[in-house]
């Protein structure tokens, strides 16, 4: 019995010695030296349900079940984790979660964590990164925890209180709260939808910076461009390349554009084209402004406007053009200021300023206007008012130093009428048919007999006179009051007698369509 007891005691002693020495030897293999741990900064285990220390082919690892790791203030959770001691890398599977501070949480099915660089790669059917205000969902997220930058290279979806943003690739800076999205980018909220190729979005400032073909669509219209920025809160946008704003009322296109999305006001620079859809009016210029709430447009720098009238087009060129929209009846008032040129197929003109109202088809010319109708009529006055009927000139009212010149193609001379006020009436194909002079009337016209032979030159002065024209020459003339005149036979006509004072035939100054459009 005593031998058995001694053997048992020796056996127990040997067992504890072996156990102690083997544990010490194992500890020498598994645990790195204090200096090594300090250099590599190993991820530490906080807790686990099971911990198994393994050595496979000289590689020391830890197998952790339902473990919690801690590294640089961040916590890692998983159902199963394999930690490589030498490389400081963790492979984790099942209910993976990374928590950094009290703001960032990343969840997924699989985690690869590189402790030395603090890079976490989380993947799964649904991988989610959350902070306090937004959620990013995709299949794989690479999160640089040292710099706070997460990225994904598979389709992802970011959601906050106001916006839903999707793209095929993206980066999120958790420090600056800036997102950078690439490929098939789409930003949606209650007010608008933005699509582009590349987008930088700052969730703090609410500014989005985009590059590539971009469209912004809201209930009031669409903005299309290639490079610029947009504020998701104020709806303000600016574009640096050729851009178009389109809505039910107008289209505005320019090389650079600033748009107030809330009020739909716009400012364009560089080859500006403004199209009013309801009345087919087009304004062009180097720079322009539009205020939708009051229906007012201003355009300047090589400015001209085109207004489609039936099958014809009226062109007006000026240093500055203004457009006023009447929202009641969709008519428009056009005002041109300084160095005005006018072109229409049936008349052309020049003046200092112009006023055209599409409601009554009346065009007013101010400050020494001069107008031409076809190749044979010229009219000058201090002011001229043109009345259009069925989109053709019906009457012109000349006030102050009025002067009408018609080229008589039969005798190849000029018939002339001048006075204080003149009403000139036109017939079909814009032919002059009647001239009424009221005040200080003077005329110089060539009398023609029935055989279309010139009889002589009539010089007449009378307060009021009425001239009827046929085929560009005076057919009949009547006077109200006592006229003072004389008929000069053809051979006795002196050169100075052929012209009234102030005569100046300026057909060479008549603007062409190309000149009115600044093309020559």
């Amino acid at each position: 019995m005593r031998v058995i007891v001694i053997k048992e005691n020796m056996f127990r002693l040997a067992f504890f010695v072996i156990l102690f020495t083997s544990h010490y030897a194992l500890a020498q293999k598994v645990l790195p030296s204090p200096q090594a741990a300090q250099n590599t900064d190993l991820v530490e285990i906080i807790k686990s349900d099971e911990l198994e220390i393994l050595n496979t082919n000289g590689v020391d690892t830890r197998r952790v079940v339902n473990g919690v790791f801690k590294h640089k203030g961040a916590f890692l959770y998983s159902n199963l984790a394999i930690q490589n001691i030498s490389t400081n890398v963790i492979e984790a599977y099942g209910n993976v979660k990374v928590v950094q501070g009290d703001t960032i949480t990343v969840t997924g099915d699989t985690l690869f964590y590189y402790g030395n660089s603090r890079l976490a790669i989380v993947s799964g059917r649904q991988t989610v990164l959350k902070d306090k205000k937004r959620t990013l969902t995709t299949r794989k997220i690479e999160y640089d925890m040292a710099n706070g930058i997460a990225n994904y290279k598979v389709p992802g979806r970011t959601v906050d209180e106001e916006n839903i943003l999707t793209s095929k690739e993206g980066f999120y800076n958790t420090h600056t709260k800036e997102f950078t999205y690439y490929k098939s980018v789409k930003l949606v909220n209650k007010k608008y939808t933005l699509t582009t190729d590349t987008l930088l979005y700052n969730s703090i400032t609410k500014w989005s910076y985009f590059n590539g073909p971009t469209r912004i669509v809201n209930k009031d219209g669409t903005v299309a461009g290639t490079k610029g920025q947009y504020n998701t809160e104020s709806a303000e946008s600016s574009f640096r390349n050729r851009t178009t704003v389109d809505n039910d009322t107008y289209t505005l296109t320019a090389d650079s554009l600033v748009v107030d999305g809330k009020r739909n006001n716009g400012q364009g620079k560089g080859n500006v084209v403004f199209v009013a859809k309801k009345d087919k009016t087009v304004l062009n210029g180097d720079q322009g402004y539009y205020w939708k709430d009051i229906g007012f447009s201003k355009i300047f720098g090589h400015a001209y406007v085109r207004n489609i009238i039936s099958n014809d087009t009226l062109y007006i060129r000026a240093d500055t053009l203004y457009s006023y929209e009447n929202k009641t009846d969709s008519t428009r008032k056009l005002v041109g200021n300084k160095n005005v040129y006018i072109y229409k197929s049936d008349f052309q003109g020049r003046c200092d300023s112009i006023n055209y109202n599409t409601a009554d088809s009346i065009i007013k010319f101010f400050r020494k206007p001069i107008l031409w109708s076809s190749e044979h009529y010229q009219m000058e006055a201090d002011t001229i008012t043109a009345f259009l009927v069925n989109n053709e000139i019906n009457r012109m009212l000349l006030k102050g130093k009025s002067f009408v010149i018609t080229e008589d193609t039969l005798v190849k001379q000029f018939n002339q009428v001048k006075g204080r006020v003149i009403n000139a009436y036109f017939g079909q194909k814009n032919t002059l048919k009647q001239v009424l002079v009221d005040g200080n009337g003077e005329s110089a016209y060539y009398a023609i007999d029935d055989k279309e032979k010139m009889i002589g030159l009539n010089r007449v002065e009378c307060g009021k006179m009425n001239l009827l024209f046929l085929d560009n020459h005076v057919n009949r003339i009547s006077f109200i009051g006592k006229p003072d005149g004389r008929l000069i036979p053809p051979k006795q006509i002196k050169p100075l007698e052929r012209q009234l004072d102030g005569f100046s035939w300026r057909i060479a100054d008549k603007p062409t369509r190309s000149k009115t459009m600044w093309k020559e």
Side-chain angles (χ1 to χ4, degrees):
M1 291 293 294
R2 291 176 64 184
V3 172
I4 293 174
V5 172
I6 291 171
K7 288 183 177 181
E8 287 179 352
N9 290 335
M10 291 180 65
F11 177 81
R12 290 174 181 173
L13 179 60
F15 174 82
F16 284 109
V17 170
I18 293 171
L19 180 62
F20 177 79
T21 56
S22 63
H23 179 73
Y24 178 80
L26 185 60
Q28 290 292 322
K29 291 182 179 180
V30 174
L31 298 177
S33 65
Q35 183 64 37
Q38 184 178 355
N39 291 338
T40 57
D41 198 5
L42 282 174
V43 178
E44 59 178 310
I45 301 172
I46 301 301
K47 68 174 185 176
S48 67
D49 289 351
E50 295 181 19
L51 171 62
E52 185 176 0
I53 301 173
L54 304 172
N55 182 287
T56 306
N57 298 324
V59 178
D60 297 325
T61 59
R62 295 172 180 169
R63 183 177 181 277
V64 182
V65 178
N66 296 328
V68 180
F69 295 87
K70 181 180 180 181
H71 191 233
K72 297 288 186 179
F75 293 88
L76 287 66
Y77 302 81
S78 67
N79 293 345
L80 173 64
I82 306 297
Q83 181 183 20
N84 189 312
I85 303 301
S86 60
T87 61
N88 203 20
V89 175
I90 294 177
E91 298 179 29
Y93 306 93
N95 295 318
V96 168
K97 182 166 65 172
V98 177
V99 180
Q100 188 177 36
D102 59 352
T103 56
I104 303 297
T105 301
V106 185
T107 58
D109 298 330
T110 304
L111 164 68
F112 285 83
Y113 181 70
Y114 300 86
N116 294 340
S117 62
R118 299 177 62 195
L119 173 65
I121 301 176
V122 183
S123 59
R125 286 189 173 183
Q126 190 177 67
T127 303
V128 179
L129 183 149
K130 287 186 178 182
D131 62 14
K132 291 183 177 180
K133 293 186 177 181
R134 61 199 52 80
T135 301
L136 165 63
T137 304
T138 182
R139 294 196 310 274
K140 184 177 180 180
I141 294 175
E142 296 184 9
Y143 182 29
D144 179 357
M145 299 174 67
N147 297 302
I149 297 176
N151 75 86
Y152 58 91
K153 297 180 180 179
V154 291
R157 184 172 185 264
T158 303
V159 179
D160 60 22
E161 294 179 354
E162 299 177 351
N163 307 294
I164 298 175
L165 202 152
T166 57
S167 69
K168 292 184 177 180
E169 297 181 16
F171 289 82
Y172 174 39
N173 190 318
T174 61
H175 295 161
T176 62
K177 307 303 179 186
E178 288 182 335
F179 291 84
T180 305
Y181 301 95
Y182 301 98
K183 300 178 182 178
S184 303
V185 182
K186 187 175 184 179
L187 175 61
V188 179
N189 68 18
K190 295 179 180 179
K191 300 177 182 178
Y192 68 92
T193 299
L194 183 152
T195 56
T196 185
D197 182 67
T198 302
L199 176 68
L200 171 62
Y201 173 59
N202 189 308
S203 60
I204 297 176
T205 64
K206 304 300 181 182
W207 276 103
S208 299
Y209 304 87
F210 40 82
N211 191 17
T214 303
R215 289 175 62 86
I216 303 172
V217 181
N218 61 23
K219 62 182 181 64
D220 295 317
T222 301
V223 181
T226 56
K227 189 174 183 179
Q229 59 190 53
Y230 181 79
N231 191 289
T232 61
E233 192 168 58
S234 66
E236 179 184 357
S237 60
S238 63
F239 295 79
R240 291 184 290 277
N241 289 345
R242 194 74 180 161
T243 304
T244 298
V245 177
D246 182 60
N247 56 40
D248 294 338
T249 306
Y250 71 92
T251 298
L252 175 62
T253 304
D255 292 342
S256 65
L257 198 62
V258 176
V259 180
D260 180 351
K262 289 186 177 180
R263 292 180 292 181
N264 269 325
N265 298 337
Q267 173 186 352
K269 292 183 180 181
N271 192 17
V272 177
V273 181
F274 176 86
V275 181
K277 295 182 177 180
K278 293 182 180 179
D279 58 2
K280 299 179 181 178
T281 299
V282 182
L283 286 85
N284 299 73
D286 295 337
Q287 187 168 343
Y289 298 84
Y290 177 69
W291 293 267
K292 184 181 180 182
D293 52 348
I294 58 176
F296 173 64
S297 305
K298 175 184 176 182
I299 194 163
F300 51 93
H302 299 92
Y304 71 96
V305 60
R306 292 170 287 167
N307 181 245
I308 298 176
I309 303 175
S310 187
N311 294 324
D312 201 357
T313 302
L314 172 66
Y315 297 84
I316 301 174
R317 158 184 160 175
D319 289 352
T320 304
L321 287 169
Y322 305 90
S323 172
Y324 303 86
E325 178 186 353
N326 188 334
K327 296 184 179 181
T328 303
D329 56 8
S330 298
T331 59
R332 185 174 301 277
K333 178 181 178 182
L334 296 170
V335 176
N337 188 33
K338 299 294 184 184
N339 301 314
V340 176
Y341 286 38
I342 311 100
Y343 179 89
K344 192 173 179 289
S345 62
D346 54 356
F347 77 93
Q348 300 80 40
R350 297 177 64 175
C351 61
D352 185 74
S353 61
I354 188 173
N355 186 324
Y356 172 44
N357 196 326
T358 62
D360 53 18
S361 298
I362 295 177
I363 307 174
K364 296 181 180 180
F365 308 87
F366 301 96
R367 298 176 186 173
K368 297 182 179 180
I370 178 169
L371 300 179
W372 298 268
S373 180
S374 74
E375 295 289 333
H376 308 293
Y377 310 115
Q378 176 180 297
M379 284 154 279
E380 292 182 86
D382 291 341
T383 63
I384 298 178
T385 303
F387 300 85
L388 275 65
V389 176
N390 296 325
N391 303 315
E392 293 184 352
I393 295 177
N394 176 261
R395 176 169 67 99
M396 285 194 181
L397 174 62
L398 290 71
K399 290 185 177 181
K401 300 178 181 178
S402 306
F403 206 124
V404 176
I405 303 173
T406 66
E407 184 179 20
D408 194 323
T409 56
L410 185 62
V411 297
K412 297 181 181 180
Q413 296 292 336
F414 296 100
N415 296 310
Q416 304 151 56
V417 181
K418 62 184 291 187
R420 186 169 58 247
V421 178
I422 293 179
N423 275 283
Y425 294 87
F426 294 82
Q428 294 181 349
K429 296 182 180 180
N430 205 36
T431 57
L432 183 64
K433 66 177 185 178
Q434 184 180 12
V435 172
L436 295 174
V437 183
D438 186 2
N440 303 326
E442 294 183 53
S443 66
Y445 64 93
Y446 292 88
I448 308 295
D449 63 14
D450 295 339
K451 296 181 180 180
E452 295 186 345
K453 183 178 180 181
M454 184 175 69
I455 299 173
L457 173 63
N458 263 319
R459 292 284 303 248
V460 181
E461 293 182 8
C462 185
K464 295 182 179 181
M465 58 180 68
N466 181 11
L467 295 88
L468 300 179
F469 288 79
L470 180 65
D471 297 331
N472 299 325
H473 60 266
V474 178
N475 184 41
R476 291 178 58 187
I477 184 168
S478 59
F479 306 95
I480 301 174
K482 186 177 180 180
D484 180 10
R486 62 193 178 100
L487 176 64
I488 306 173
K491 293 183 179 180
Q492 299 179 15
I493 301 174
K494 299 177 181 179
L496 291 178
E497 293 176 325
R498 295 184 182 274
Q499 300 175 356
L500 298 177
D501 289 342
F503 173 87
S504 178
W505 181 245
R506 297 167 55 189
I507 195 69
D509 295 337
K510 185 178 74 169
T512 62
R513 184 175 65 176
S514 295
K515 195 167 187 177
T516 309
M517 298 173 66
W518 300 90
K519 291 184 177 181
E520 62 177 59

